[in-house]
Amino acid sequence: EKVVKGRDAWQAGADFLIELADAGHQADPNHLVFTKEPRDWYLPLLEQALNKLRARGQEPNTYFVYGGNFYGNPEEIGPAMVALKTTVDQKLGVALCITEYGPYGLDREGRSKYYVQIWRKLTPLSIGGSAYVYTGPNNPNPANRDAVLETEFRMVNYDGLPVDDTLAALAAQFKAERDALQAIQKPKP
């Protein structure tokens, strides 16, 4: 049995991921299929795998969504989001979702403002996003795998009560956007 190593092994993994996504879509064509990659160096491998699928006459852009993660200062991650959106559009030809986002390494007092700023940057570039709010014992730290987070991304405590105004700020932003869309979509008398 042949052992695949190096780039060929990574490409085989990307091919399998796309085949698995396509099989999931075939089994349930009414739902999107997401893949989330923590590093964008994997994009050329996904591009090649998606091109193989397209060569067989299948079009994954109707159901396949690529997910990217962003943490840090809203002003610094904004350009990175634009760059990822451009790459996903040009190389993958599929939708983009920001699968994790959150301010990192910034003052705690401005946290709610930073979450909302990041949300406002990602919405025109993607189909949406998910605020990273993992909480629990031994919280993983997305910026430093050797460290444990105690409260950096927590929005509620163990009793489900907000720890600050971040949850309310995001809820208000989401409601404002929903209300604006409903006003646009409302039939005129």
Side-chain angles (χ1 to χ4, degrees):
E1 189 174 324
K2 182 182 175 189
V3 176
V4 181
K5 294 182 179 180
R7 181 170 170 79
D8 290 341
W10 288 107
Q11 187 61 58
D15 292 348
F16 175 73
L17 178 66
I18 297 304
E19 292 294 330
L20 187 60
D22 189 57
H25 172 68
Q26 298 301 325
D28 184 359
N30 296 319
H31 290 88
L32 298 174
V33 178
F34 283 74
T35 187
K36 178 184 96 158
E37 296 303 325
R39 306 286 180 264
D40 57 358
W41 61 264
Y42 201 57
L43 285 168
L45 303 170
L46 287 176
E47 177 186 14
Q48 189 172 342
L50 286 165
N51 288 339
K52 290 176 188 176
L53 191 65
R54 288 182 177 112
R56 295 196 316 258
Q58 294 161 282
E59 189 44 69
N61 72 336
T62 61
Y63 64 88
F64 188 80
V65 179
Y66 181 83
N69 302 341
F70 290 93
Y71 301 95
N73 182 313
E75 297 308 314
E76 294 170 2
I77 63 177
M81 284 184 188
V82 171
L84 180 61
K85 171 66 173 162
T86 301
T87 300
V88 168
D89 285 351
Q90 292 176 354
K91 301 290 186 180
L92 303 184
V94 298
L96 172 66
C97 180
I98 307 305
T99 44
E100 294 179 12
Y101 75 92
Y104 185 74
L106 302 169
D107 62 284
R108 183 79 181 181
E109 296 75 34
R111 194 169 83 113
S112 61
K113 173 182 73 174
Y114 301 137
Y115 265 104
V116 170
Q117 286 174 345
I118 295 170
W119 175 258
R120 288 179 181 158
K121 289 180 184 307
L122 72 84
T123 52
L125 301 172
S126 70
I127 64 169
S130 300
Y132 184 78
V133 296
Y134 185 87
T135 187
N138 301 319
N139 297 335
N141 182 330
N144 180 354
R145 295 185 190 278
D146 297 325
V148 173
L149 295 176
E150 289 303 320
T151 61
E152 182 80 18
F153 295 105
R154 184 176 295 167
M155 286 196 196
V156 296
N157 64 20
Y158 291 110
D159 295 322
L161 301 173
V163 297
D164 62 15
D165 64 339
T166 301
L167 189 59
L170 282 171
Q173 179 66 32
F174 299 158
K175 182 181 181 314
E177 289 178 18
R178 183 202 62 204
D179 293 348
L181 282 172
Q182 287 176 341
I184 292 169
Q185 296 170 347
K186 187 179 280 187
K188 304 224 188 281

